[in-house]
Amino acid sequence: MTSLNNKIYGDSVSSANLERECQKELSNLGYKAILRPEGVLGPDRKELPSLDMDLEGTPIDIRSVVADSPNYRNQIKAKSGQLRRFLSVEPESGADSVCLYFHAPEMFSAERVKIGISEFLKTPQAEGTPLKRVICVVRGADRIYEYGV
């Protein structure tokens, strides 16, 4: 992480820590959220594409937002690509969503998420995207925020 992010999050915060924190926030809100194993190898001994968590029984990938942004198009675009790769090996999984996790609540803005989705849909990567929903988890919030794609 950049030095700015170290000031905000501290040296001990990793993406794995933030994924666990997101899982805890979801569990505290009453959702069944289970982290999935990472680094699973296929028969060819290459790592298979994976998603971070099962949310209510459906695989979903988490993107921890660690830098403020005018919109979250790039985060949504990256996770849409990961979702597409995952579905190439588990097409029947039902996965169709990504999760943006906001450890720093002040970085969350519903308007910027909506703009990010709109901007993502203008990119070539949005063509035929399996992404149907962006779920936002904000640390300390009393609910999740869901947006259609």
Side-chain angles (χ1 to χ4, degrees), residues 22 26 53 60-63 97-101 135-137:
C22 179
L26 286 162
M53 175 174 57
I60 188 168
D61 213 29
I62 302 168
R63 176 65 176 253
S97 303
V98 299
C99 175
L100 298 181
Y101 176 61
I135 297 170
C136 296
V137 177

Side-chain angles (χ1 to χ4, degrees), residues 40-55:
V40 176
L41 301 179
D44 61 359
R45 307 290 301 152
K46 290 184 181 176
E47 191 171 325
L48 295 172
S50 64
L51 300 183
D52 296 315
M53 175 174 57
D54 284 335
L55 179 59

Side-chain angles (χ1 to χ4, degrees), residues 68-72 76 100 102 105-118 134 136 138 143-148:
D68 216 359
S69 174
N71 67 62
Y72 299 106
I76 294 166
L100 298 181
F102 294 85
E106 65 274 10
M107 288 187 191
F108 173 71
S109 161
E111 189 60 31
R112 288 188 284 168
V113 172
K114 291 175 190 174
I115 292 169
I117 292 169
S118 176
V134 175
C136 296
V138 181
R143 59 175 282 223
I144 64 170
Y145 301 86
E146 296 184 50
Y147 305 94

Side-chain angles (χ1 to χ4, degrees), residues 4-121:
L4 172 64
N5 289 334
N6 283 339
K7 289 178 191 170
I8 295 171
Y9 299 105
D11 292 325
S12 65
V13 175
S14 67
S15 61
N17 289 343
L18 291 169
E19 288 170 3
R20 285 189 291 276
E21 193 174 285
C22 179
Q23 176 200 25
K24 183 178 177 185
E25 290 287 331
L26 286 162
S27 294
N28 288 343
L29 292 170
Y31 292 94
K32 183 178 178 185
I34 300 169
L35 292 175
R36 295 171 62 96
E38 296 191 24
V40 176
L41 301 179
D44 61 359
R45 307 290 301 152
K46 290 184 181 176
E47 191 171 325
L48 295 172
S50 64
L51 300 183
D52 296 315
M53 175 174 57
D54 284 335
L55 179 59
E56 296 293 317
T58 302
I60 188 168
D61 213 29
I62 302 168
R63 176 65 176 253
S64 297
V65 176
V66 297
D68 216 359
S69 174
N71 67 62
Y72 299 106
R73 180 198 68 157
N74 290 339
Q75 292 89 338
I76 294 166
K77 185 170 79 171
K79 290 298 152 182
S80 174
Q82 180 65 16
L83 178 61
R84 190 184 306 266
R85 288 185 294 279
F86 173 77
L87 288 170
S88 73
V89 295
E90 289 197 37
E92 303 300 320
S93 68
D96 67 358
S97 303
V98 299
C99 175
L100 298 181
Y101 176 61
F102 294 85
H103 170 82
E106 65 274 10
M107 288 187 191
F108 173 71
S109 161
E111 189 60 31
R112 288 188 284 168
V113 172
K114 291 175 190 174
I115 292 169
I117 292 169
S118 176
E119 292 298 314
F120 161 70
L121 291 172

